[in-house]
């Protein structure tokens, strides 16, 4: 029962990927594949702990553990950095998909990505007992990863343009 949210999301994303592939919309295909990877990392009922949870203030609500106090010393562990790393590719894909956005939109895209992932975990906990932590730090780190990925893609694009125009 705990796998139901992930299976539903995977089927929907597989259909969206199929439509993008058939339409030769490769940026869109990459976009949906990126979301499938993020769903795999965040909406499966498998929890991997990369540090100690001792010292983190948590709350039990809606069948799940919530961390609503950001940046507690104990919460800045390997998973903190992994959350940034896992969303950098999606930020790159945001840029590939929508290259003309300015920085406030990057910030909004990052926050919405974090909210979507943590909101999915909260909903999965509430409806299916997913067993995932809903953590404000994950929203912050996911947003930061998207912003970094978008910024890196923009930097790379500008550098590539400069280098190709000098040739």
């Amino acid at each position: 029962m705990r796998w139901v949210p992930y299976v539903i999301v995977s089927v929907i994303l597989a259909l969206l990927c199929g439509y993008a592939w058939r339409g030769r919309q490769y940026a869109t295909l990459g976009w949906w594949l990126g979301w499938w990877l993020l769903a795999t990392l965040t909406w499966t009922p498998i929890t991997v702990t990369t540090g100690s949870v001792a010292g983190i203030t948590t709350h039990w609500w809606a069948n799940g553990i919530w961390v609503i106090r950001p940046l507690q010393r104990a919460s800045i562990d390997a998973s903190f950095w992994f959350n940034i790393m896992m969303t950098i590719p999606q930020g790159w894909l945001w840029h590939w998909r929508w290259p003309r956005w300015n920085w406030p939109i990057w910030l909004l895209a990052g926050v919405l990505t974090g909210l979507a992932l943590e909101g999915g975990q909260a909903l999965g906990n509430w409806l299916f007992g997913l067993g995932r932590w809903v953590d404000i730090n994950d929203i912050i780190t996911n947003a930061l990863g998207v912003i970094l990925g978008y910024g890196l893609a923009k930097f790379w694009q500008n550098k590539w343009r400069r280098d190709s125009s000098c040739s």
Side-chain angles (χ1 to χ4, degrees), residues 81-99:
W81 303 107
F82 290 150
N83 270 291
I84 294 171
M85 296 302 293
M86 79 178 199
T87 51
I88 286 175
Q90 197 65 9
W92 192 286
L93 291 167
W94 277 99
H95 182 271
W96 188 20
R97 192 82 174 87
W98 295 284

Side-chain angles (χ1 to χ4, degrees), residues 131-143:
R132 301 297 298 248
W133 284 41
V134 180
D135 190 341
I136 185 68
N137 296 299
D138 292 352
I139 295 170
I140 294 167
T141 54
N142 293 158

Side-chain angles (χ1 to χ4, degrees), residues 19-38:
Y19 290 130
W21 178 263
R22 278 192 299 270
R24 297 179 188 212
Q25 300 170 343
Y26 301 116
T28 303
L29 175 62
W31 167 254
W32 291 125
L33 287 171
W35 273 107
W36 180 78
L37 176 62
L38 290 175

Side-chain angles (χ1 to χ4, degrees), residues 48-63:
V48 177
T49 304
T50 57
S52 171
V53 296
I56 299 175
T57 304
T58 61
H59 305 278
W60 179 262
W61 186 69
N63 294 326

Side-chain angles (χ1 to χ4, degrees), residues 61-64 66 119-132 134:
W61 186 69
N63 294 326
W66 289 64
Q121 288 179 338
L123 192 60
N125 283 344
W126 180 50
L127 296 174
F128 299 97
L130 195 58
R132 301 297 298 248
V134 180

